[in-house]
Amino acid sequence: MCHSSYEDPDVRTKIRMAGIRGLQGVVRKTVRDELQANIWERQHMDKIVPSLLFNLQDPTDSGSPGCEKESPAELTERCFRELLGRAAYGNIKNAIKPVLMHLDNHSLWEGKSFAVRCFKIIMYSIQSQHSHLVIQQLLGHLDANSKSSATVRAGIVEVLSEAAVIEASGSVGPTVLEVFNTLLKQLRLSVDYELTGSCDPYSNNMTTTDQERQLQEAVIKTIGSFANTLPIYQRAEVMLFIMGKIPVPGIYPALGSPIAGFEGSRMIQVMLLKSLLQVTERYESSNMLAALPSSFLEPLLSFTLMEDPEIRLLVLSILISLIDRHQNTHKFTFLSILSDISVLKLKVDKCSRQDNLFMKKHGQRLYRHIFLTCSEENSGRSHYQALYTLLALLSVELANEEVVVDLIRLALALQDLALANDERLSLYNRCAVHALSAAYLSLISQLTTVPAFCQHIQEVIELRQKEVPYLLPEDIFIENPRVPESLERVEGEVLFQQFQIAEVLGGSGYNIDILNTPFTPQITDEDRLSKRKSIGDTISLQMDMDPRYSPEREQKSPAEQITFETLKNAIVDSVNGEEQEREKRRLVVERFQTAPFEEIAAHCGAKSSLLQSKLDQIFELTIRPPPSPSGSASQGQTPTRSVPVYEMKFPDLCVY
């Protein structure tokens, strides 16, 4: 009766209404009748649920105004809600599976609207403590459709997004990381499908780049919408979870299919960072040590040294989202010289003890990566804008007197970087770094409210406006930047003077010792690894162990006497040592790129055995029983057996 296709619409509506009312009566009898035990069995649910869904979706089911007060769709929805509301824990699966099969059989995932409507009804009707079971069913169905078309997967993801948001406000339980794990897995699969053009190599199930990109956007949106409904502590766990999935330079990545290659690795990095940005956009934490722990900050900052400009920009955006706790980001949208920052109406709170600890622990690392990011040759207008916003937020959110001096020192170091005429930086980049330094010094001088400092910055800016306007953001960060032919005239009074700034800040009570020390960040081995395009090269360098730690060598080496000749030889041999180290690294990379797999496996196996033997020696030393409390044996006598700790006899005064 529910599936009646009678030609007369009025008769068809009456027949369907009668069928739905019959089902409604069956559902209500489950409370007291013997049907309560068997109506939830699969063979019954496979008939009841599709009948309800058929009437729920049929657009021709509008009731006759003269005969009925409500349409079959309205009555069906009420009946469907009643059925779901009576479902116990063990019956949820049998009630949801027919819904999934119906949507599959009638290709209803692609339209999205009906599928979303169905699961909204489901999520709001079932008991809240059972809602995570629905999410698990959807996750399993998404996995089962991993080789389906991109439109089907995108539809399931859209439904999962709506359902997860509703479920997150109730019983979340253990499904949190399961949701993110499944979504991140779908991102990785989508990358493979986009690069190969096929969802299944054994069938003709083809896909297009546009379809996969739409799916990727839907997954990223779902990650963000679900994460934003979670408590703060769970969002922090989600951020660490996503960071652990990103192929981080210097750490062996889980890249999924080997088909992806380097381009696939880059795409995965970009999409996972976009997902991370979605999670952080509404993340608010008063404790920066909790928001940016070392386990999260260090791998994140390593991406600022990647050659891909899109990756660097995403990292800067993530840092901005996490540091901005008073919604000040939009006030620094445009990189420009501000004559009066009071118009911004900044929200500034006094730095807490946790903020001071955070900057003391991570401040120098942040400054160093900001400086190195400015020295990248393929940075564009958006990068300098993000760097300005990041510097401004550090000044507003986390700056005490010590941090202010450090940031001024960093801004002067950026000016020196632009003056250095480094071949890596184009003329535009050098002008952009000058403009960034000027805009930031103008901002921080007004934040410090030291009149002489503000006056010096303002005088230099006014002189630049007259003589070298291309060193200011108004001439550089525009559609058609006015770049000069050279920067030979940039000297003297058009530059910010370090000694003059140090003098006025020192007179106002600031500790300027650090300001008088040049800011020269050194690129470490970690940075060199991060700069590499090939993650395989990074791994090979890390796997090459130093033979000096071989267990065959003596554990102790005699102390070397340092003489004049020793120092002289060290100075002479330093250059040769660097060349030898460079050649050694080149050979290692070449070995891992060209050698057969068996040779590489044998090499790594030998190294691991050396490591294991060394560990065995260490364990043997650490687990050896301590000597007896009675003391060692006298000379000429056989030493007594060592007594384990649990057999020792201690005086009563030593026992608690």
Side-chain angles (χ1 to χ4, degrees), residues 99-139:
V99 178
L100 300 173
M101 298 303 297
H102 183 83
L103 297 175
D104 283 344
N105 295 334
H106 296 275
S107 302
L108 295 174
W109 293 111
E110 301 178 14
K112 297 182 185 178
S113 58
F114 178 71
V116 169
R117 181 188 173 196
C118 281
F119 275 89
K120 280 188 174 181
I121 293 173
I122 292 171
M123 296 303 293
Y124 283 119
S125 300
I126 63 174
Q127 301 175 45
S128 60
Q129 66 267 28
H130 301 158
S131 57
H132 67 278
L133 296 175
V134 181
I135 301 298
Q136 289 176 345
Q137 289 281 96
L138 280 170
L139 291 173

Side-chain angles (χ1 to χ4, degrees), residues 375-390:
S375 62
E376 294 290 342
E377 63 270 21
N378 58 356
S379 293
R381 177 181 174 183
S382 55
H383 293 84
Y384 295 112
Q385 173 62 62
L387 286 165
Y388 172 72
T389 304
L390 179 57

